[in-house]
Amino acid sequence: MGELAERAFARAAGAPSTTGNDVRLLCDARENYPAWCEALANAQRYILFEQYIVEDDRVGRDFASLLAERARAGVRVYVIVDWLGSWRSLSMWRPVRDAGAEVRVFNPPHLSSPLGWLSRDHRKTIVVDGEIGFVSGLCLSERWLGNPKKRLEPWRDTGIAIRGPAVASLEEAFMRVFASSGTPIDPEGFLDADDMPHPGSMRLNVIANEPNLAGTFRMDLVIASIARRALWLTDAYFVATSPYVQALRAAARDGVDVRLLVPGASDIPALSPLSRAQYRPLLEAGVRVFEWAGTMMHAKTAVADGRWSRVGSTNLNLASWMSNYELDVAIEDEHFSAQMAAQYEADLEHATEIVLTRRNRVRRAPGDARQELAEHARSRKARSGSAGRAAAGAFSVGSALGAALTDRRILGPAEAGLLFLMAAIACVIGIVGALLPRVLAWPVAVIALWSGIAWVVKGVALRHGHSGGPRAERLEEAIPGDAPPRDFGGGGGDADARATSSATRARDHAEIGK
């Protein structure tokens, strides 16, 4: 896309590009899970493992056992799991910690931060020995494998395997989150990007988004603005902001082939009407919208002009763009983009296109059998997702409702059901407030007092030089137990004394975690 576009990418994402990389496309759990297991089993020096959801099921337990086995073999194992995404399975990590791994839980709830839980570590990354890294939208759960007995297909998702200098960027992103608990990883044994091999020729931007940085959001706006021929998007929880919707509309009106593939049945049912509320303005501008006919479409990808692609964890909604820790990889390579485009076209064979009619919208599928499959998939709702995704969805719901109710975008029949629901809720709240004011007054009073005390605590902490952002905690701090803390590979104190570039990176991480 040219030197000017490359500079725009780097500045928008806040991440310089690296060259000399090799990237392999991995589709669904059938390709991602075996590749992850093989890399973890062959680890010799260190493993960096970051996940949003790890279920206490066969898949989650298998990966936890594998990590524990490598820790017992002397491999340095560092694990970050998100509290809200994995709270039901935290006890599963005790054997991993006891085997010698350092396991930390990201941002468990604290009395000092009433709304701090909204910021989540939504990343799904793995790095092994500095040789290979994985980035995807997949979590660890049997849902990604499907359940033939219940006639539930595997969840559709996308990931990549990376070799080359970009792996150092994945390591740095992991270390920044890990250091938020105060003790950074000992840099011994880690290589800088300049010292890593160059197994390929691909140019990458690793976009390690953090709350309020909006790097991925800026990148997405840039791509929507400069795409000339095609922009094909896949998203799991589409509740986009007005600027992004307008960017897609402008691109379509300018002749760009803009397509959006989203779930037909979501594991968060409340998000489906919000996503569909945005169809009409997109369709009227010429954007083609498709709904996946299987159990769940969970991929977060983009491919533009047959040259640029993005794969990662970021959904097209406010929670992912502004509130969460996310990680995506932008790849500039024609061969890889051709693979992404081919997979996208294959996915559309299992999707239903949404079109406008004079009265409303109708669904159009290539064949009657496929139409029946789509309706059957919708009648069998995807299994309910975790509280973590529900929380992130709730954050996006507020933004979408605000836009709809203040006339900041076009309203149509698709929004009617949503507005009726919110009207009923508002009326119930108004009636309760009039007849039983204490029922509303007490919760408001509790929240106000909690917030006031929390702000005082934060003010005192800031006065003494301590930050109050989202943090990770060691496993035994998140879940009290009898086992003593392990500080495997700690070395944060003498990291500052190392006169190497790796030590400089470690010091930067320590400062971020203060």
Side-chain angles (χ1 to χ4, degrees), residues 23 61 96 107-108 111 157 160 202 291 309 367 381 389 399 427 497:
V23 179
R61 289 189 293 271
V96 183
N107 203 18
L111 292 176
D157 220 326
I160 54 176
M202 295 186 183
E291 289 187 346
S309 306
K381 294 180 180 179
R389 283 201 299 275
S399 172
C427 290

Side-chain angles (χ1 to χ4, degrees), residues 242 246 398-411:
S242 293
Q246 294 305 317
S399 172
L401 288 178
L405 296 177
T406 55
D407 291 332
R408 291 203 301 266
R409 67 167 182 250
I410 300 173
L411 294 177

Side-chain angles (χ1 to χ4, degrees), residues 203-441:
R203 181 186 300 274
L204 308 184
N205 290 84
V206 175
I207 312 168
N209 195 52
E210 298 181 6
N212 301 318
L213 294 183
T216 312
F217 178 59
R218 298 197 305 269
M219 169 72 81
D220 287 339
L221 286 176
V222 168
I223 292 300
S225 300
I226 68 175
R228 296 180 178 180
R229 301 188 307 275
L231 175 59
W232 296 353
L233 305 166
T234 304
D235 195 61
Y237 308 105
F238 179 77
V239 188
T241 61
S242 293
Y244 190 67
V245 170
Q246 294 305 317
L248 295 182
R249 284 164 53 89
R253 287 172 171 167
D254 198 31
V256 179
D257 177 12
V258 182
R259 305 183 188 184
L260 174 65
L261 175 60
V262 295
S266 177
D267 63 322
I268 305 179
L271 286 188
S272 293
L274 292 172
S275 293
R276 289 169 181 155
Q278 296 185 314
Y279 288 177
R280 178 173 290 275
L282 294 174
L283 293 170
E284 289 176 344
V287 177
R288 299 180 67 186
V289 179
F290 301 82
E291 289 187 346
W292 179 250
T295 302
M296 178 62 186
M297 167 58 72
H298 196 261
K300 307 97 166 51
T301 66
V303 57
D305 289 349
R307 183 173 180 178
W308 181 93
S309 306
R310 175 173 68 81
V311 178
S313 66
T314 300
N315 291 297
L316 302 178
N317 62 46
L318 196 62
S320 278
W321 279 326
M322 303 295 183
S323 177
N324 292 341
Y325 286 76
E326 306 276 1
L327 194 139
D328 298 76
V329 178
I331 305 125
E332 188 176 354
D333 182 82
E334 293 183 358
H335 176 70
F336 183 82
S337 294
Q339 288 182 288
M340 291 283 292
Q343 182 60 53
Y344 195 92
E345 291 178 330
D347 288 339
L348 293 187
E349 291 296 316
H350 301 279
T352 302
E353 184 171 6
I354 309 299
V355 297
L356 287 173
T357 64
R358 290 183 179 180
R359 293 184 60 186
N360 208 322
R361 63 182 177 86
V362 298
R363 295 177 174 84
R364 180 179 65 198
D368 292 340
R370 192 166 298 138
Q371 178 71 26
E372 292 177 3
L373 175 62
E375 297 302 328
H376 176 70
R378 289 184 184 86
S379 66
R380 297 177 57 82
K381 294 180 180 179
R383 291 173 59 184
S384 178
S386 71
R389 283 201 299 275
F395 195 77
S396 298
V397 166
S399 172
L401 288 178
L405 296 177
T406 55
D407 291 332
R408 291 203 301 266
R409 67 167 182 250
I410 300 173
L411 294 177
E415 287 86 357
L418 176 63
L419 294 181
F420 287 148
L421 174 62
M422 297 311 300
I425 294 175
C427 290
V428 169
I429 292 176
I431 293 172
V432 171
L435 300 179
L436 301 170
R438 291 187 179 182
V439 173
L440 294 182

Side-chain angles (χ1 to χ4, degrees), residues 17-335:
S17 63
T18 61
T19 59
N21 300 284
D22 178 73
V23 179
R24 179 161 61 101
L25 179 63
L26 300 172
C27 292
D28 301 328
R30 70 177 187 275
E31 295 182 0
N32 281 273
Y33 287 174
W36 298 358
C37 287
E38 180 182 3
L40 293 173
N42 293 328
Q44 299 298 317
R45 295 182 290 126
Y46 60 86
I47 293 171
L48 310 180
F49 189 92
E50 187 173 15
Q51 250 309 336
Y52 179 58
I53 295 175
V54 182
E55 297 281 9
D56 189 3
D57 58 18
R58 177 171 56 87
V59 172
R61 289 189 293 271
D62 285 349
F63 274 92
S65 298
L66 182 54
L67 291 170
E69 186 276 326
R70 297 318 298 153
R72 284 191 294 269
V75 177
R76 293 192 294 171
V77 177
Y78 304 94
V79 176
I80 301 175
V81 293
D82 185 82
W83 182 87
L84 196 58
S86 302
W87 65 271
R88 290 175 294 185
S89 60
L90 293 182
S91 60
M92 184 180 68
W93 293 101
R94 290 193 181 280
V96 183
R97 183 204 63 192
D98 294 339
E102 178 77 18
V103 181
R104 298 187 183 180
V105 179
F106 181 84
N107 203 18
H110 293 277
L111 292 176
S112 61
S113 183
L115 299 179
W117 60 273
L118 288 174
S119 181
R120 308 315 319 169
D121 183 2
H122 194 244
R123 299 175 181 177
K124 297 96 174 177
T125 62
I126 302 173
V127 178
V128 176
D129 291 343
E131 298 176 358
I132 187 169
F134 298 94
V135 176
S136 74
L138 288 86
C139 299
L140 294 179
S141 169
E142 291 180 344
R143 283 173 288 181
W144 272 260
L145 297 175
N147 190 330
K149 293 182 179 180
K150 296 183 178 180
R151 301 176 64 187
L152 292 173
E153 298 177 359
W155 282 20
R156 174 72 186 87
D157 220 326
T158 300
I160 54 176
I162 304 172
R163 295 182 183 273
V167 174
S169 298
L170 300 182
E171 293 179 350
E172 182 176 359
F174 180 92
M175 290 178 177
R176 289 174 67 91
V177 178
F178 199 86
S180 64
S181 64
T183 303
I185 295 174
D186 187 339
E188 185 68 29
F190 290 86
L191 297 177
D192 288 330
D194 295 339
D195 299 324
M196 290 185 171
H198 292 58
S201 59
M202 295 186 183
R203 181 186 300 274
L204 308 184
N205 290 84
V206 175
I207 312 168
N209 195 52
E210 298 181 6
N212 301 318
L213 294 183
T216 312
F217 178 59
R218 298 197 305 269
M219 169 72 81
D220 287 339
L221 286 176
V222 168
I223 292 300
S225 300
I226 68 175
R228 296 180 178 180
R229 301 188 307 275
L231 175 59
W232 296 353
L233 305 166
T234 304
D235 195 61
Y237 308 105
F238 179 77
V239 188
T241 61
S242 293
Y244 190 67
V245 170
Q246 294 305 317
L248 295 182
R249 284 164 53 89
R253 287 172 171 167
D254 198 31
V256 179
D257 177 12
V258 182
R259 305 183 188 184
L260 174 65
L261 175 60
V262 295
S266 177
D267 63 322
I268 305 179
L271 286 188
S272 293
L274 292 172
S275 293
R276 289 169 181 155
Q278 296 185 314
Y279 288 177
R280 178 173 290 275
L282 294 174
L283 293 170
E284 289 176 344
V287 177
R288 299 180 67 186
V289 179
F290 301 82
E291 289 187 346
W292 179 250
T295 302
M296 178 62 186
M297 167 58 72
H298 196 261
K300 307 97 166 51
T301 66
V303 57
D305 289 349
R307 183 173 180 178
W308 181 93
S309 306
R310 175 173 68 81
V311 178
S313 66
T314 300
N315 291 297
L316 302 178
N317 62 46
L318 196 62
S320 278
W321 279 326
M322 303 295 183
S323 177
N324 292 341
Y325 286 76
E326 306 276 1
L327 194 139
D328 298 76
V329 178
I331 305 125
E332 188 176 354
D333 182 82
E334 293 183 358
H335 176 70

